[in-house]
Amino acid sequence: MAYRNLQISNRGAVHRITVNRPDKLNALNRETLNELTLAFTQAAQDDAVRVVVLAGAGEKAFVAGADIAEMNGYTPIQAQGFSRAGQHLMTTIERLGKPVIARVQGFALGGGMELAMACHLRVASDKARFGQPEINLGLIPGFGGTQRLLRLAGRAAALELCLLGTPVNAQRAYELGVVNRVVTPETLDETVDGLADQLAGAAPLAAAGILDCVLHGGETAIDQGLEFETQAFALAFSTDDMHEGTTAFLEKRKASFSGR
Ligand code: COA
C-alpha cells in the first residue's frame, strides 16, 4: 500500500517505517497519525515481520511534534479526537507484540518524544534532542507524554521536561532513562541494525511474552504482576521455540526459532 507521509522498507524480518515529511520536520498531522496506525497494524499482522524500526526522514528531525499548523484551527472537540487518535497510535505501537526500536537522529519533540517513548527501545544520535515543549504553545502533551514519561523516568523528570518545556540533549535523556543507547551520527544505523538483527533472530513468542509482562504486568500490583509472569512463563513451554532453544543449548548449537 502506498502512503503519502511514510516510507516502508524491509530487510529480512526487520520492517522499517519512516515518517517522511522532512520539510515539516516530520510533524504529525492527522493523516500521518492515521497512516502510522495502519502501517503498525499491518506490521503486527505480518508473520514475516519480527521487529520494527521507526525513523524520521532527513537529518534534522525524528519527529518535531504534532502539526502545530493543523492544531491551530482545532475546536476542543477536534482536539479531543486528535488526542485520542495519537494515543491510539502510541498504544498500538506499545502493544504491538513485537519489539519496536526508535531511531532518533535529531529533534524528538512533543508528539515526537511521545512517539519515541511508545517504542520499546530508543537509540539516539548524540545530536538528538528530546523535549515536551507544549507548555510554550499554551498546551500540554496529548499523546500520552505525561503518562509515559512519568513511567519511564519518574515524577521529577516528567515534571521538569513538561513544565520547563526545554529540550534536553541525548546524553541527558540517557541519564534520565529515556534513551537506551547514545551513539555518534555515523554509527547510528549500524547500532540500530545490530539491535534489530539480534531481535529478529530471537524467539518471537518469548519476545511477545516479555513485552506483555513488562508493559501490562508492570501496571498492576506486584502479586498480580508475578502471577502474570508465571502464566506467561508456563505458556512458553507450549511452544516449539522453547523446545528448540533448550535443545540447541544442550546440543551446543545455535537455535533457530520458528515463531511457533
Ligand atoms: N508542526 C508543524 N510544522 C512544524 C513543526 C510542527 N511541530 N515543527 C517544525 N515545523 C515546520 C516549520 O514550521 C517549518 O515550516 P516552513 O518551512 O513551512 O516555515 C519547517 O518545519 C522547518 O522548521 P523550522 O522551525 O524552520 O526549523 P528550525 O531549525 O528553525 O527549528 C525546531 C527547529 C524543532 C526548534 C522548531 O521547528 C520548533 O520549535 N518546532 C516545534 C516544536 C514543538 O513545539 N513541538 C511540539 C508541538 S505540540
Side-chain angles (χ1 to χ4, degrees):
M1 127 137 225
Y3 295 102
R4 275 162 51 102
N5 307 286
L6 305 180
Q7 283 173 346
I8 307 288
S9 63
N10 291 291
R11 189 177 55 79
V14 180
H15 187 73
R16 183 158 165 148
I17 300 173
T18 303
V19 181
N20 188 30
R21 298 184 76 208
D23 56 325
K24 297 293 175 193
L25 303 189
N26 304 318
L28 301 175
N29 59 5
R30 187 63 192 250
E31 187 179 55
T32 306
L33 281 186
N34 292 344
E35 289 188 356
L36 278 168
T37 304
L38 189 57
F40 272 99
T41 302
Q42 288 181 341
Q45 291 166 355
D46 185 346
D47 287 341
V49 173
R50 290 202 181 170
V51 53
V52 180
V53 172
L54 178 61
E59 289 300 310
K60 212 165 157 183
F62 171 68
V63 165
D67 191 312
I68 299 169
E70 202 172 88
M71 284 193 297
N72 182 251
Y74 278 172
T75 64
I77 296 298
Q78 287 172 318
Q80 191 180 56
F82 190 55
S83 172
R84 289 204 171 122
Q87 291 191 0
H88 176 62
L89 166 63
M90 306 307 162
T91 304
T92 300
I93 295 172
E94 197 170 64
R95 298 186 187 167
L96 204 71
K98 304 175 184 191
V100 182
I101 304 171
R103 173 200 182 274
V104 183
Q105 85 286 28
F107 291 112
L109 301 178
M113 179 156 178
E114 290 167 306
L115 192 58
M117 288 193 295
C119 298
H120 305 119
L121 296 173
R122 283 153 292 282
V123 182
S125 144
D126 57 21
K127 299 274 188 294
R129 291 182 74 76
F130 293 81
Q132 298 291 165
E134 289 88 346
I135 193 167
N136 300 324
L137 303 166
L139 275 174
I140 74 165
F143 295 168
T146 58
Q147 301 308 299
R148 289 202 175 83
L149 186 51
L150 173 66
R151 284 163 174 74
L152 260 182
R155 196 179 288 196
L159 288 174
E160 180 184 324
L161 266 76
C162 295
L163 280 178
L164 299 181
T166 310
V168 296
N169 64 25
Q171 184 57 34
R172 176 79 178 130
Y174 176 78
E175 287 159 10
L176 291 173
V178 168
V179 164
N180 297 88
R181 301 264 196 291
V182 181
V183 298
T184 63
E186 296 75 33
T187 55
L188 181 61
D189 279 319
E190 72 184 62
T191 307
V192 170
D193 288 351
L195 290 173
D197 287 344
Q198 183 178 339
L199 289 166
L205 296 170
I210 289 164
L211 291 170
D212 235 15
C213 285
V214 173
L215 296 168
H216 295 184
E219 293 299 322
T220 65
I222 183 77
D223 284 347
Q224 286 167 295
L226 290 172
E227 182 55 26
F228 197 88
E229 184 188 81
T230 292
Q231 297 308 328
F233 178 77
L235 193 63
F237 285 71
S238 70
T239 66
D240 291 350
D241 281 350
M242 179 272 173
H243 184 70
E244 163 64 8
T246 51
T247 304
F249 175 83
L250 295 172
E251 292 176 353
K252 301 188 188 305
R253 62 175 171 83
K254 191 174 183 312
S256 173
F257 295 114
S258 64
R260 288 190 297 275

